[in-house]
Each structure stands twice: as C-alpha cells, then as structure tokens.
Amino acid sequence: MASLSKIIDVHSHPVLAFGEGAPVGEGHKQPDWSVESALSYMEEYGISACVLSSCLGQRRDWTQGA
C-alpha cells in the first residue's frame, strides 16, 4: 500500500498587518504570523506546500466596531 509522502495545506490564512487587531474571542488575540513562522510550522508538520487564502475584499476597520 502506498503511503502519503507529501502534505499540501490547501487553505491557509496569513495574518496581514491590517488584521492584527481583529477580534478573535474574549481573552484571545490574533496569532503572530510571518513568512518565517509559517515555513517553520510547515517543516515541523511535514507540509510540502500551502495555498494562502485572504479576505481582502472584506477588509474592514476593526477599530470602528461592527
């Protein structure tokens, strides 16, 4: 039986500068994100490639409330 040797993350989100202050729940904050931390995570978990997704069309000013 063949085994999987490559993992591809097909839906991954970067935390871009404008989203750093976005609310994620009481007592929580957006995780720190950088290209280097994403590559380190991929290496740690054996991920060969990832597809970054973004919500740029839904950008909002998180400092102004809902």
Side-chain angles (χ1 to χ4, degrees), residues 4-49:
L4 295 176
S5 61
K6 305 262 187 217
I7 297 173
I8 299 173
D9 179 354
V10 297
H11 191 103
S12 197
H13 288 275
V15 180
L16 304 176
F18 68 80
E20 289 176 353
V24 292
E26 188 69 33
H28 299 281
K29 70 176 198 82
Q30 287 285 349
D32 293 333
W33 188 92
S34 68
V35 171
E36 293 79 14
S37 67
L39 291 173
S40 176
Y41 179 89
M42 290 171 63
E43 183 175 339
E44 180 178 351
Y45 290 98
I47 300 169
S48 300

